[in-house]
Amino acid sequence: MNIKVVRGNPTAEELAAALAVVRARAAAEASVPPGATRKRDTWSDPSRIASHRLPQPGPTSWARTYWPG
């Protein structure tokens, strides 16, 4: 694994902390057995957003605006 600092000048402690996080994340991913699927959080599920239809433009779309009338 190669890590390169592209911007900034981190101290040795900051670099060590960042590498510890990256290594912990890599170890967590490596501990998952092959073929196992992780359950997605519902807030990040794209189908949650697409579950209801958005208003479509058309001849009466002006009546669906949110301007006080």
Side-chain angles (χ1 to χ4, degrees):
M1 173 177 14
N2 294 328
I3 296 179
K4 179 180 178 181
V5 176
V6 180
R7 189 183 304 179
N9 191 10
T11 64
E13 292 83 13
E14 292 170 336
L15 194 55
L19 288 175
V21 170
V22 170
R23 286 185 176 183
R25 179 72 179 174
E29 289 291 324
S31 67
V32 176
T37 58
R38 281 189 357 204
K39 185 178 181 305
R40 290 182 106 173
D41 291 332
T42 54
W43 66 268
S44 64
D45 188 12
S47 66
R48 177 184 62 90
I49 298 169
S51 64
H52 54 279
R53 288 190 55 176
L54 296 174
Q56 298 296 315
T60 60
S61 62
W62 61 270
R64 293 188 302 249
T65 62
Y66 295 103
W67 293 100

